[in-house]
Amino acid sequence: MHAERAALAAFFPIVDWLKNYRREDISDDVFAGVITAILLVPQGIAYALLAGLPPQLGLYASILPPIVYALLGTSRTLSVGPVSVAAIMIASALTAPEISALGNPIQSGLILSAEIGAIMLAMAMLRMGGLVNFISHPVLAGFTSGAALLIIVNQLPQVFGVKMPTCALDLGCYAQAVGSFSAPTLAISLGSLALLIFFGSPLTRLLKKLRVNLSAITAISKCGPLLTVILSTLAVSYADFGGNPVAIVGPLPSGFPSPHFTSAHLETWRLLLPYAGFIGLISYVESVAIAKVTANLRGEKIAPNQELIALGSANLTAFLFGGMPVAGGFSRTMVNFSAGARTQMAMIIAATLLGLSVIFLSASFANIPKAALAAIILVAIFRLVRIKHILHTWRYDGGDGMAELATLLGVLVFGIEQGITLGIILTIASHLRKTSQPHIAVVGRVPDTEHFRNIKRHSVETWHHLLLVRIDESITFANVSYIEDYLAGELKRQPNTRHIVLILSAVNDIDATALDALELFNQGLQASGKTLNLSEAQDKVMDKLEKTDFFEQLQPGKVFARTEDAVKALG
């Protein structure tokens, strides 16, 4: 019975935290749920429009999918719903020639939700949760910055109230388009931006100076998007713009969507599948990264494979109930966390409040100006543009810095999928280059100690007939030639060497190709009257070597447990 309960809790993490749910947790979760609900309406509508989909698909994706994640997810504070980076990837997919030719963006958006969910569940069945570790942070950071810049460019026409021109490299064409801006739209945009910026750091600092309670500061400062939507909607509804119209969201379907299945040709599903794969991969990686941030702050654990199940099920729910693809959102999650959410009960409350709003207040969403939503998007994603991070990465590691910059430029120049692919290829190439040219050091003994250090960095004892070489990487087919060349070069510089000791403390593996090369190298040394010796080899390396006759071939060379023992015996 205990095993059954453990299995149930593993698949439904809500069981684990519900049984330990305390009375004092409910007040924190209710407060956080209300604050997060304030963001759901403007962000749900804004990100749907950003993706090129009707606004209701963003709202529907913010109701049931978060509740499904609450049942299955291992993060207690991750807020699942429409997100900006996924939205721009969806827009890229829907505007691809072969997809736009289908002529039904709503159907395509729903199919993306279904395919993303199915891909994630398939990955979970194959225990591929660890895939999150195969996209490096520099590539993800470069992609995020590039996608954020694309979003900014995408939203500028909404800010100025102009149609996006197709001018290629004709700067005069762009200037003419900007010159035809709508003054009322620009006024709403600038007013919305000013209000949103004020509700950020300036208002928070002001409230802290006034010694306002921290919970009240969190509640007040997070009301900026909702207040922006309300004020801009009132302006559009009652102000006279002199016949200069302002683009609005328009009427939304009233009531809650009922479950349905999208009927589409198999070819449509096939065409969308590659895009779904990319969107699903990035959504999963970003969601887990965000979940780990808040989990680490509270000493909690995230189960990557269970996250695949939770996010996959949430996306399938979005498909069934007419929603766009979903993922974990950074801004909503941090708001939820900062507001004091203890468990996923906060998101259940937020989604419930949004559901009631959609049922009873959907008519009031019609006059929301798109310019205000564009301002909300700009403020939310502006901090995702991290150009300084590229410089920081480059200074630390040139290969990673190049991968991050190439990913950003690739996203901007070639497209989202191509940019990510380029970054991943460069990261793998950089890793292979490092692996194929491992760090190797000739070492000597620090006087009056048993410590051995690099002769180029420390003042150490050396011996003219004894060469101590430390290899700081596993020895494989990719680098054994480099290691052989390095040893040959050192022997030329030290022709009196009679004994070579390979210090293998950092070597985790020696593959078959490397073993063959070491045997040939040892034979060459023996022919010239020299010996090859090993020291500090790890147990798993020794276990592999003992399955061969390498130690017999090594004689009269020896294997030492410590480098100090080798020096005493050979020095």
Side-chain angles (χ1 to χ4, degrees):
M1 191 69 178
H2 178 73
E4 292 177 357
R5 283 200 299 268
L8 182 65
F11 191 76
F12 293 100
I14 189 174
V15 174
D16 187 46
W17 58 259
L18 265 183
K19 69 181 180 182
N20 299 315
Y21 200 69
R22 302 171 301 174
R23 181 174 298 177
E24 53 266 33
D25 290 338
I26 189 64
S27 59
D28 291 337
D29 282 341
V30 169
F31 178 76
V34 172
I35 298 302
T36 306
I38 291 173
L39 284 178
L40 293 182
V41 171
Q43 284 196 353
I45 295 176
Y47 293 150
L49 295 176
L50 175 61
L53 296 168
Q56 65 267 24
L57 269 69
L59 293 175
Y60 297 159
S62 304
I63 302 173
L64 286 180
I67 295 177
V68 170
Y69 178 85
L71 298 175
L72 300 171
T74 57
S75 171
R76 298 196 178 188
T77 53
L78 185 68
S79 177
V80 169
V83 296
S84 58
V85 173
I88 195 65
M89 294 183 74
I90 296 167
S92 175
L94 297 181
T95 54
E98 69 274 19
I99 304 302
S100 60
L102 299 174
N104 193 337
I106 296 178
Q107 184 184 72
S108 296
L110 296 178
I111 291 174
L112 282 174
S113 296
E115 290 184 335
I116 290 169
I119 289 170
M120 288 182 173
L121 291 179
M123 290 169 62
M125 291 177 61
L126 297 173
R127 311 296 297 177
M128 294 175 66
L131 191 65
V132 67
N133 301 316
F134 285 88
I135 296 184
S136 68
H137 180 70
V139 169
L140 191 59
F143 160 72
T144 303
S145 295
L149 289 171
L150 285 180
I151 293 171
I152 291 173
V153 173
N154 181 278
Q155 293 304 297
L156 288 179
Q158 302 286 358
V159 169
F160 287 93
V162 299
K163 291 184 178 180
M164 177 67 86
T166 54
C167 303
L169 299 178
D170 186 356
L171 297 180
C173 174
Y174 287 105
Q176 183 179 1
V178 173
S180 63
F181 71 92
S182 167
T185 300
L186 183 59
I188 289 175
S189 299
L190 295 177
S192 299
L193 285 171
L195 185 62
L196 290 165
I197 293 172
F198 173 73
F199 266 77
S201 298
L203 180 59
T204 301
R205 288 196 298 267
L206 176 62
L207 293 176
K208 285 181 178 178
K209 286 182 180 179
L210 297 176
R211 301 181 183 277
V212 177
N213 180 273
L214 186 60
S215 297
I217 292 176
T218 300
I220 295 171
S221 62
K222 303 308 177 186
C223 290
L226 181 62
L227 186 60
T228 298
V229 166
I230 292 174
L231 293 179
S232 61
T233 302
L234 290 174
V236 170
S237 301
Y238 298 105
D240 181 12
F241 295 126
N244 196 344
V246 174
I248 59 175
V249 169
L252 301 181
S254 59
F256 198 76
S258 56
H260 72 286
F261 291 91
T262 298
S263 59
H265 293 295
L266 187 62
E267 180 67 9
T268 302
W269 291 76
R270 186 191 67 79
L271 289 172
L272 287 164
L273 188 59
Y275 298 99
F278 265 105
I279 298 170
L281 177 62
I282 297 301
S283 296
Y284 169 64
V285 171
E286 284 209 313
S287 298
V288 172
I290 295 166
K292 283 184 175 180
V293 170
T294 56
N296 291 339
L297 292 173
R298 290 185 177 172
E300 297 168 355
K301 293 291 184 181
I302 299 299
N305 214 67
Q306 182 63 26
E307 289 299 293
L308 280 172
I309 296 174
L311 291 168
S313 301
N315 275 285
L316 286 178
T317 303
F319 163 68
L320 291 174
F321 288 89
M324 63 186 289
V326 298
F330 180 78
S331 60
R332 285 194 311 274
T333 299
M334 295 314 297
V335 167
N336 193 39
F337 180 83
S338 302
R342 308 308 305 173
T343 68
Q344 280 292 334
M345 186 63 71
M347 280 309 302
I348 294 175
I349 292 169
T352 302
L353 292 175
L354 177 62
L356 294 174
S357 300
V358 169
I359 293 172
F360 298 108
L361 302 175
S362 59
S364 61
F365 299 155
N367 282 343
I368 298 176
K370 292 182 178 180
L373 297 174
I376 291 172
I377 292 175
L378 290 178
V379 172
I381 60 93
F382 185 75
R383 62 177 174 273
L384 299 180
V385 181
R386 302 172 64 191
I387 304 301
K388 287 184 178 179
H389 188 272
I390 297 176
L391 300 176
H392 171 76
T393 304
W394 197 295
R395 283 195 297 267
Y396 181 75
D397 189 299
D400 283 343
M402 182 178 295
E404 185 170 345
L405 178 61
T407 304
L408 187 154
L409 295 177
V411 168
L412 295 178
V413 176
F414 302 114
I416 289 174
E417 293 82 6
Q418 294 85 347
I420 297 172
T421 303
L422 177 62
I424 293 174
I425 290 173
L426 287 177
T427 301
I428 295 173
S430 176
H431 174 72
L432 292 176
R433 180 186 62 80
K434 294 173 187 175
T435 304
S436 65
Q437 298 180 8
H439 181 264
I440 307 174
V442 175
V443 301
R445 182 172 59 191
V446 178
D448 301 322
T449 72
E450 295 184 358
H451 300 296
F452 293 82
R453 296 290 184 268
N454 192 333
I455 63 172
K456 295 181 179 180
R457 292 175 174 268
H458 302 273
S459 177
V460 294
E461 296 178 274
T462 60
W463 300 265
H464 70 280
H465 65 283
L466 179 61
L467 179 63
L468 305 176
V469 180
R470 190 186 71 233
I471 302 172
D472 295 334
E473 182 68 67
S474 292
I475 307 176
T476 68
F477 71 94
N479 61 25
V480 69
S481 295
Y482 178 84
I483 294 172
E484 284 184 295
D485 292 342
Y486 182 93
L487 294 174
E490 290 299 323
L491 288 173
K492 283 185 179 180
R493 280 189 284 273
Q494 301 183 49
N496 295 325
T497 299
R498 296 203 307 270
H499 306 290
I500 296 177
V501 179
L502 298 183
I503 303 172
L504 305 181
S505 55
V507 174
N508 294 314
D509 186 39
I510 299 176
D511 70 9
T513 303
L515 177 62
D516 290 341
L518 285 178
E519 290 175 345
L520 291 173
F521 182 71
N522 177 55
Q523 292 171 13
L525 289 177
Q526 291 177 345
S528 60
K530 298 177 173 58
T531 68
L532 178 66
N533 306 269
L534 308 180
S535 76
E536 301 185 27
Q538 298 184 26
D539 289 343
K540 56 185 176 182
V541 173
M542 292 292 291
D543 291 342
K544 289 185 69 175
L545 293 178
E546 285 174 352
K547 296 176 182 178
T548 71
D549 61 352
F550 177 74
F551 293 131
E552 296 176 8
Q553 296 185 39
L554 194 65
Q555 296 175 358
K558 299 178 180 179
V559 178
F560 298 94
R562 302 185 307 154
T563 305
E564 177 67 14
D565 296 336
V567 170
K568 288 179 179 178
L570 305 174

